Amino acid sequence: NVGIKRRMRRFFRRDGRALIFAMDHGFEHGPTDFEEHWEHVNPKVIIRKVVRAGIDGVMMLPGLARIAGDEVKPNVGLMVKLTSKTNLRPKGDQLLQSQLGFVEDAVKLGADAIAATVYWGSPAEDVMMRQFAEIASYAHDLGFPVVQFAYPRGPYINERYGKKEDYRVVMYGARAAAESGADMIKTYWTGSRETFAKVVDAAAGVPVLLSGGAKTDNPVDFLKLVWEVIEAGGAGAVVGRNIFQRENPEPFIKALIRVVHRNEDPEEAAKA
Ligand code: FBP
């Protein structure tokens, strides 16, 4: 499918890697995520900064794409995510991401890729699998790549594997994502290069992107983590808090780009 291939290239450079900015936290975690640097609660302000710094793509929910999509310049990929949940739900309902938009909305907003989450192993896995299948089927018909946020999550995962970041379950999620038709996979760090390489193998050639996670106090620590992901054969990272919770995201993004696209040593990249 030529459309899918062409649109994938909006995110991935010739080296097959991408650095993507995630901006759905106001919905998923609440605006408190922006309190440290409140100016970044304004999507236009932070998106202008990340685009200026040379980011490859931006991921948003449909409403923010409507508000700030114009800031995502034509050389930057726009990923519109169609599922989410608020942090306001009762604890028992946190294991479901609901669909809050449609493929047509994303297409009208000028999306280059469409994203949806599946919490593999959740009691609501069935609902998310169906949502993903419907989104992927329609998006693929129209020539749009689909990104799966493949997150193992739920009581059974904890019981059986101890934590959701155990590589055995992360690679299971990545494999399930590949087998369910994802064109890109976003998932957790498994703690080591060796185990993350297994996740990459299990994905059977579908590019695997790191899900950034909570901000590290020392910026170099996050650069090191991304470096390990690249060394493990990962295709890059989708990063939210580690960018917008920093006072000065631009030099940090430039350092991340050096690590992702030039395999630069994290300490050196941080100094440059
Ligand atoms: P971060 O880099 O801030 O972790 O962002 C990636 C992301 O998947 C966001 O898209 C999402 O809002 C957040 O993480 C969800 O994190 P969690 O499910 O751990 O609360």
Side-chain angles (χ1 to χ4, degrees):
N1 186 318
V2 180
I4 294 177
K5 272 196 191 149
R6 282 180 56 82
R7 290 187 173 98
M8 290 281 277
R9 291 208 296 264
R10 306 294 303 276
F11 301 91
F12 294 98
R13 297 193 193 174
R14 277 172 190 276
D15 57 10
R17 297 180 194 157
L19 178 68
I20 297 165
F21 175 57
M23 180 69 178
D24 61 344
H25 303 66
F27 194 102
E28 236 175 274
H29 293 168
T32 44
D33 258 23
F34 298 98
E35 265 179 346
E36 269 174 77
H37 297 289
W38 190 239
E39 67 278 17
H40 295 158
V41 77
N42 181 339
K44 292 186 181 182
V45 168
I46 182 67
I47 289 168
R48 227 169 265 156
K49 288 184 189 177
V50 303
V51 168
R52 211 158 43 204
I55 204 95
D56 299 314
V58 174
M59 184 279 290
M60 291 185 278
L61 297 177
L64 275 208
R66 181 164 298 124
I67 294 165
D70 252 9
E71 300 297 338
V72 182
K73 300 301 172 209
N75 60 330
V76 177
L78 173 64
M79 192 181 278
V80 173
K81 185 169 179 254
L82 297 181
T83 67
S84 197
K85 64 162 171 68
T86 69
N87 221 351
L88 303 169
R89 287 183 180 180
K91 210 162 175 241
D93 300 333
Q94 288 290 337
L95 293 169
L96 167 67
Q97 289 231 345
S98 312
Q99 191 166 344
L100 79 163
F102 299 93
V103 172
E104 291 94 327
D105 302 328
V107 173
K108 278 187 232 159
L109 288 162
D112 301 297
I114 301 181
T117 296
V118 180
Y119 291 145
W120 293 105
S122 147
E125 184 194 83
D126 175 65
V127 175
M128 287 173 281
M129 272 173 72
R130 281 165 198 266
Q131 273 171 187
F132 185 81
E134 275 181 27
I135 289 169
S137 166
Y138 193 27
H140 284 161
D141 268 356
L142 298 176
F144 285 77
V146 176
V147 190
Q148 186 179 118
F149 292 19
Y151 293 173
R153 216 171 265 208
Y156 177 70
I157 305 289
N158 297 338
E159 207 177 284
R160 174 124 185 226
Y161 298 94
K163 55 175 182 183
K164 62 185 181 4
E165 296 85 3
D166 184 297
Y167 87 92
R168 293 168 300 169
V169 68
V170 175
M171 75 178 180
Y172 197 157
R175 182 60 169 225
E179 296 205 22
S180 54
D183 304 289
M184 307 178 214
I185 297 168
K186 171 176 180 276
T187 195
Y188 314 130
W189 174 236
T190 50
S192 73
R193 188 192 304 182
E194 293 69 29
T195 54
F196 203 79
K198 287 199 160 184
V199 176
V200 171
D201 290 341
V206 179
V208 177
L209 300 158
L210 171 78
S211 185
K215 188 188 84 171
T216 60
D217 290 337
N218 182 349
V220 177
D221 288 344
F222 189 70
L223 295 175
K224 284 184 183 163
L225 170 55
V226 172
W227 191 75
E228 294 287 347
V229 166
I230 298 298
E231 290 294 307
V238 182
V239 184
R241 286 165 284 178
N242 269 286
I243 290 177
F244 68 71
Q245 289 182 349
R246 296 195 194 279
E247 188 177 351
N248 204 355
E250 286 175 69
F252 186 66
I253 292 170
K254 288 184 178 154
L256 275 171
I257 289 171
R258 282 188 208 102
V259 171
V260 169
H261 291 297
R262 296 196 214 146
N263 292 69
E264 239 179 67
D265 175 78
E267 308 266 4
E268 296 303 316
K271 277 188 231 150

